[in-house]
Amino acid sequence: MNTFFEAEARRLSGFGAGGGPERYNGQGEAAEREALRAKLLAPDRVSGSEILLRTLLLEGVECVFGYPGGAVLYIYDAMHGNPHFRHILTRHEQGAIHAADGYARATGKIGVCLATSGPGATNLVTGIATAHMDSIPLVVITGNVATSLIGTDAFQEADIVGITQPITKHSYFVRKVEELAPTLREAFHIAGTGRKGPVLVDIPKDVSAAITAFRYPETVSVRGYRPVREAKASEVQELLRAIEAAERPLILAGGGAVQADAAEELTAFAGRLNVPVTTTLLGLGAFPSGHELWLGMPGMHGTYAANQALLHCDFLLSVGARFDDRVTMRLDGFAPQATIAHIDIDAAEIGKLVPTALPITGDARQVLQAANALSSGIRPKEGAWLEQVKWWKADYPLTYRDSETELKPQYVLEMISRTTDGEAIVTTDVGQHQMWTAQFYKFKHPRSLLTSGGLGTMGFGFPSAIGAQVGHPGRLVVSVNGDGGMQMCAQELAICAIHQIPVKIVVINNRTLGMIKQWQELIYDGRYSHIDLSGSPDFVKLAEAYGVRGLRASDKREAEQAWQEALDTSGPVLIDFQVSRDELVFPMIPQGQTLSDMILEAE
């Protein structure tokens, strides 16, 4: 029995807005929980490090991913012997923050990571930017040198607050130990409300060592911070009237629909009014892939049906989608015939890129609940528009040229989707395999695709799967990686081996930087420059060196056998799928073109 998940099954902390008291069943466990809560809330005189640990437990934090160093040694000393505090030692700070990010995306809770000052903190920057671009709630805790040394270029000093201000929702530098508990309380509140995002808390070493009486704020109010949740009823009614008047309505659902936990409301709304739906990369799973109204993903590598629907709709409702350039392509060719309505928790996103006739600032779930409640008098759509989108979908499905001699990456993703029935949590890195996953894995549920959408971070896929598995110990988690991105955080294989975290690690190994090769082939006239990954390690041997089972497949028969063997194995497994080097992702719209300029397949 693996140690981490055995401990998780026995006892999880969960005392507050971010936690899970529901995990405690029965009077005995409830009493244990209340006793621990009372102990944590006791106004003892304790160190800043103990205040940090108590506050994290009271906020319901189940696991912290981190890496120690000199500036956080008081904090790590406070962890020693604490039976309630869970920490996973990653092998790199980037692995820690991506794991916290994956945990947050998969569970909807706030992910937490911890690093030391200087290089430890700066190693988190890519992960902070990744979470910021995709609106993922994190509390990022860094140590710093003592307050007396700030600004002196002391050993391992870095102004991490200044470095990360553009990529955090908010940042704190804690100057006094008395400020620590209320600061942390505010950090969790800001990270998890409104448009969610990463919040950084920088704690000097002397603050973590100082002693004071512990006081945990039961409530929190941040001056000037009043995130909007409820839209006006008049706005919702206007939206419904516009849909009723439209002949060719379309819904574009993005990551905001997932973050708002609005999938059920979105499915009911679209089904009730009989309006087709397309979901962005981060919105996949917000609407079931098997639903007859779903058109697939739009944009650069989207489906023909989704892009044609965007080109021809006369009314477009965006639900938590921010009109990213990979979705819209050239803006003058995006939804040219449509009146646009936009539901978003962040008013700054509305009208930022496309003219918006009906702006609705509010929580997507609440807005759709109100819309569903008011929609009973509206007749469902029928007729030529629905027949047209069905025709596009049926006549131009996603296809690829299969082979009996080469293993095609699309076949691998279809196989994984088929054998898991679309029920797995799937994480990806960035590149061709990411697009093939989005195209050929059939996502049924929200929070089942975890991928770096806005920043496009290589190295994200594998450690984020570790965080997702920690958040969902009983679910199947599959990490799909390219052979390039896999090498950026491969050291976290040690974590899977030590804790027996049963992630199934898929490497789509084409021995090249596939998406760069694709662009160089199609756009740069075949001038291939620095994309050869043929010197990469033997991934099976690499996995085995860390103590993880490794398998390899290079044709369909081997692929089916290796994948089934991985599914039958209780612990972590890495499968090296050696696929065609020259396979390209289609459809594709070249950068700078419009949605009407789709290349459907290789010439």
Side-chain angles (χ1 to χ4, degrees):
M1 180 74 170
N2 76 68
T3 55
F4 181 84
F5 287 103
E6 185 179 41
E8 284 290 287
R10 287 199 312 268
R11 179 177 54 229
L12 281 172
S13 58
F15 310 98
E22 70 280 357
R23 293 180 183 271
Y24 288 84
N25 298 313
Q27 293 182 349
E29 290 177 337
E32 178 187 351
R33 181 191 65 193
E34 290 305 316
L36 179 56
R37 179 177 174 83
K39 181 180 178 181
L40 293 172
L41 286 170
D44 304 324
R45 289 185 61 80
V46 295
S47 69
S49 298
E50 178 65 24
I51 288 172
L52 171 62
L53 266 58
R54 286 192 182 194
T55 303
L56 293 179
L57 289 169
L58 288 164
E59 288 292 334
V61 174
E62 296 174 349
C63 181
V64 172
F65 303 89
Y67 203 98
V72 290
L73 282 183
Y74 286 116
I75 297 170
Y76 276 86
D77 185 58
M79 294 182 199
H80 182 72
N82 188 324
H84 306 291
F85 195 81
R86 301 282 171 259
H87 177 279
I88 286 185
L89 171 64
T90 60
R91 294 305 184 261
H92 192 285
E93 290 89 354
Q94 186 173 350
I97 192 163
H98 289 332
D101 184 318
Y103 171 90
R105 292 183 198 236
T107 64
K109 300 177 184 179
I110 297 171
V112 180
C113 64
L114 171 62
T116 193
S117 64
T122 57
N123 278 343
L124 298 174
V125 170
T126 296
I128 295 172
T130 300
H132 178 70
M133 287 287 280
D134 292 348
S135 303
I136 305 303
L138 300 181
V139 171
V140 181
I141 300 164
T142 55
N144 214 325
V145 299
T147 52
S148 61
L149 296 175
I150 294 293
T152 68
D153 295 329
F155 177 66
Q156 290 192 334
E157 180 190 1
D159 179 10
I160 194 61
V161 170
I163 290 168
T164 61
Q165 273 187 336
I167 54 171
T168 54
K169 187 175 178 182
H170 196 63
S171 298
Y172 293 92
F173 178 73
V174 184
R175 298 180 180 275
K176 298 179 181 179
V177 68
E178 293 82 6
E179 299 172 355
L180 186 53
T183 296
L184 288 164
R185 191 77 170 94
E186 284 188 14
F188 276 87
H189 175 65
I190 292 172
T193 54
R195 180 175 183 173
K196 300 172 184 179
V199 176
L200 184 134
V201 181
D202 195 33
I203 306 173
K205 189 171 183 178
D206 55 324
V207 172
S208 65
I211 304 295
T212 192
F214 177 61
R215 292 183 177 86
Y216 173 73
E218 288 291 345
T219 60
V220 58
S221 177
V222 182
R223 183 178 179 182
Y225 179 66
R226 298 291 184 271
V228 176
R229 288 190 60 84
E230 293 191 8
K232 298 175 182 177
S234 59
E235 294 175 334
V236 177
Q237 290 169 340
E238 187 177 2
L239 169 65
L240 291 171
R241 286 194 295 270
I243 293 177
E244 186 174 28
E247 295 181 359
R248 303 183 304 279
L250 178 68
I251 296 172
L252 171 68
V258 175
Q259 289 298 319
D261 293 318
E264 183 178 342
E265 288 76 13
L266 174 64
T267 303
F269 181 73
R272 167 71 185 81
L273 299 182
N274 214 21
V275 176
V277 178
T278 177
T279 45
T280 69
L281 176 66
L282 292 181
L284 289 173
F287 194 80
S289 60
H291 200 291
E292 64 178 0
L293 290 171
W294 186 65
L295 304 181
M297 180 179 73
M300 177 176 282
H301 294 293
T303 66
Y304 183 84
N307 285 338
Q308 286 297 313
L310 284 168
L311 287 167
H312 291 89
C313 66
D314 66 353
F315 182 83
L316 178 64
L317 169 60
S318 169
V319 181
R322 60 184 180 85
F323 300 108
D324 176 82
D325 59 288
R326 291 297 176 94
V327 170
T328 65
M329 304 309 295
R330 210 172 72 211
L331 282 170
D332 62 358
F334 177 75
Q337 303 178 42
T339 298
I340 294 177
H342 190 173
I343 301 169
D344 206 290
I345 193 71
D346 185 358
E349 288 294 342
I350 300 177
K352 184 176 80 174
L353 293 170
V354 298
T356 305
L358 296 176
I360 303 178
T361 303
D363 176 81
R365 185 180 183 186
Q366 179 271 324
V367 174
L368 290 173
Q369 284 175 339
N372 283 328
L374 296 170
S375 67
S376 58
I378 299 178
R379 292 181 58 186
K381 295 297 176 181
E382 55 186 15
W385 174 238
L386 289 169
E387 292 303 316
Q388 177 68 77
V389 295
K390 287 179 183 178
W391 183 83
W392 284 327
K393 187 175 177 181
D395 278 33
Y396 293 91
L398 292 168
T399 60
Y400 63 96
R401 296 177 184 176
D402 202 0
S403 171
E404 295 305 318
T405 58
E406 289 183 307
L407 181 60
K408 293 298 185 83
Q410 300 95 323
Y411 179 86
V412 174
L413 271 304
E414 282 186 327
M415 174 190 70
I416 294 172
S417 181
R418 166 172 44 85
T419 54
T420 62
D421 195 27
E423 295 286 346
I425 296 173
V426 180
T427 76
T428 82
D429 222 83
V430 172
Q432 286 181 312
H433 70 276
Q434 179 190 35
M435 293 298 101
W436 285 317
T437 301
Q439 290 176 338
F440 290 98
Y441 193 95
K442 303 305 180 185
F443 295 95
K444 292 183 176 181
H445 310 292
R447 302 192 183 279
S448 56
L449 173 63
L450 316 183
T451 192
S452 173
L455 197 65
T457 304
M458 290 182 70
F460 171 84
F462 174 40
S464 68
I466 294 173
Q469 190 75 83
V470 169
H472 290 285
R475 288 190 63 182
L476 174 63
V477 177
V478 180
S479 177
V480 182
N481 309 269
D483 48 321
M486 185 64 205
Q487 295 180 70
M488 292 192 172
C489 285
Q491 69 278 353
E492 305 308 334
L493 283 163
I495 308 308
C496 288
I498 292 167
H499 299 290
Q500 281 296 289
I501 299 174
V503 175
K504 310 309 175 191
I505 307 152
V506 170
V507 180
I508 303 296
N509 186 356
N510 60 3
R511 301 163 298 286
T512 186
L513 290 172
M515 191 60 85
I516 304 301
K517 178 179 181 292
Q518 176 163 337
W519 280 51
Q520 289 178 347
E521 179 174 330
L522 298 178
I523 301 171
Y524 294 88
D525 299 324
R527 295 188 295 275
Y528 302 123
S529 180
H530 301 284
I531 56 169
D532 186 8
L533 293 179
S534 58
S536 299
D538 182 323
F539 288 104
V540 172
K541 290 182 178 178
L542 181 65
E544 291 172 344
Y546 277 103
V548 172
R549 188 173 187 181
L551 304 169
R552 182 177 289 110
S554 57
D555 60 34
K556 287 182 178 180
R557 181 185 61 82
E558 291 177 350
E560 296 280 353
Q561 289 179 346
W563 179 242
Q564 189 57 53
E565 190 172 342
L567 292 177
D568 293 339
T569 301
S570 60
V573 182
L574 182 147
I575 314 97
D576 179 11
F577 290 103
Q578 298 189 331
V579 301
S580 170
R581 184 187 182 94
D582 297 319
E583 197 70 13
L584 303 181
V585 180
F586 289 107
M588 179 181 176
I589 303 171
Q591 191 76 34
Q593 301 299 308
T594 68
L595 292 177
S596 60
D597 298 315
M598 293 185 72
I599 304 171
L600 294 178
E601 60 183 352
E603 296 181 356

